[in-house]
Amino acid sequence: MDSGSSSGWEDLAPGVVRRRMPGWDETVGAVAGSEGLLVVDTGACLREGAELRRELEQRFGRRPTHVALTHPHFDHVLGTAAFAGVQVYAAVGSDRLLRKGAEELRADAVRHGLTPEEATEAVDVLVVPHHQVSGEMTLRLGDREVLLANVGPGHTGHDLVVLVPGTPHVVFCGDLVEESGEPQAGRDAHPARWPEALDRLLSLGGPDARYVPGHGAVVDADFVRAQREDLARRFVTG
């Protein structure tokens, strides 16, 4: 799996960036304020997490201070231990799930192509979130505020989105939205509730936001709305 390079970072708004990771094409984001640096998801293994940390430190001249995990799938959480000393946020219940489901997480990572050695290494130092978001929570990064919102269940039972107010607003959607393929509904999905989750996501971001999917290119509200209707046909009315 190619480790990529810092040239993969995409500017979304002042102080807001994201990178599409090689391998599983998962998105990692970052939001810089005057007194903090938030990372949104951490990659699929410790190697990826360490690379992301180094690149963000070089780009912003400071160490990451916070991590928000959009959902507890391996390709979004297994790099977290590389961010030593950060405060980790996730949807309520994620702590229990990660603590009790570590072996299942490792098996899922290997099943999807991570080497057994890297999967075991990451799971052995798995970081359990320190802060649980049950509704909405505001993170203050000095001169910038970021909203964490638990809008699920949908893609999983623990879906967190990150709203970065600005011109434009930027919404990190996790895998509630996917652009590079059809949204995936695994065993932990709540398909009948997924359209509701997207309604909440759209109400947070509004019609002019940039919506950052868990996999794929940045999209607009029309794309999210169309995907919401498709999911409703597949899982609710279909």
Side-chain angles (χ1 to χ4, degrees):
M1 185 168 53
D2 182 10
S3 63
S5 70
S6 60
S7 62
W9 290 97
E10 177 184 354
D11 291 299
L12 304 175
V16 185
V17 299
R18 74 91 175 239
R19 182 179 166 190
R20 292 172 67 172
M21 300 299 292
W24 296 278
D25 189 35
E26 76 275 19
T27 283
V28 172
V31 184
S34 61
E35 298 176 15
L37 178 59
L38 168 68
V39 181
V40 182
D41 290 340
T42 59
C45 60
L46 294 178
R47 173 177 49 78
E48 284 193 354
E51 176 185 282
L52 290 163
R53 188 198 69 236
R54 286 193 300 269
E55 291 180 356
L56 289 169
E57 288 175 359
Q58 291 171 1
R59 188 179 186 97
F60 292 108
R62 71 191 72 174
R63 294 179 65 86
T65 54
H66 303 76
V67 162
L69 300 175
T70 61
H71 62 289
H73 284 172
F74 84 93
D75 50 331
H76 297 263
V77 305
L78 286 186
T80 306
F83 294 86
V86 302
Q87 293 296 300
V88 181
Y89 297 75
V92 66
S94 298
D95 58 340
R96 183 173 62 255
L97 180 67
L98 291 174
R99 190 180 293 113
K100 292 185 176 180
E103 179 52 34
E104 184 176 346
L105 194 68
R106 190 198 73 81
D108 190 47
V110 172
R111 187 163 54 248
H112 282 86
L114 194 64
T115 67
E117 294 76 17
E118 285 196 308
T120 299
E121 178 188 41
V123 168
D124 281 349
V125 291
L126 188 65
V127 176
V128 175
H130 309 112
H131 305 278
Q132 309 297 304
V133 182
S134 58
E136 296 181 359
M137 180 184 294
T138 299
L139 273 186
R140 292 176 174 82
L141 305 174
D143 61 351
R144 165 170 257 157
E145 292 186 349
V146 176
L147 182 71
L148 309 181
N150 183 343
V151 301
H155 175 65
T156 71
H158 310 85
D159 292 312
L160 189 76
V161 302
V162 179
L163 169 66
V164 187
T167 308
H169 294 339
V170 176
V171 183
F172 291 97
C173 307
D175 286 5
L176 284 168
V177 178
E178 295 193 41
E179 184 276 336
S180 55
E182 191 173 81
Q184 298 301 301
R187 290 179 301 169
D188 57 346
H190 295 254
R193 302 285 299 278
W194 201 330
E196 266 181 76
L198 290 182
D199 287 338
R200 288 190 285 273
L201 186 152
L202 284 163
S203 71
L204 283 172
D208 300 318
R210 305 191 74 189
Y211 291 89
V212 186
H215 301 264
V218 175
V219 299
D220 59 13
D222 288 341
F223 180 96
V224 178
R225 199 171 296 110
Q227 195 157 92
R228 182 248 184 250
E229 294 306 315
D230 181 60
L231 287 165
R233 284 192 296 270
R234 285 171 61 191
F235 298 126
V236 182
T237 61

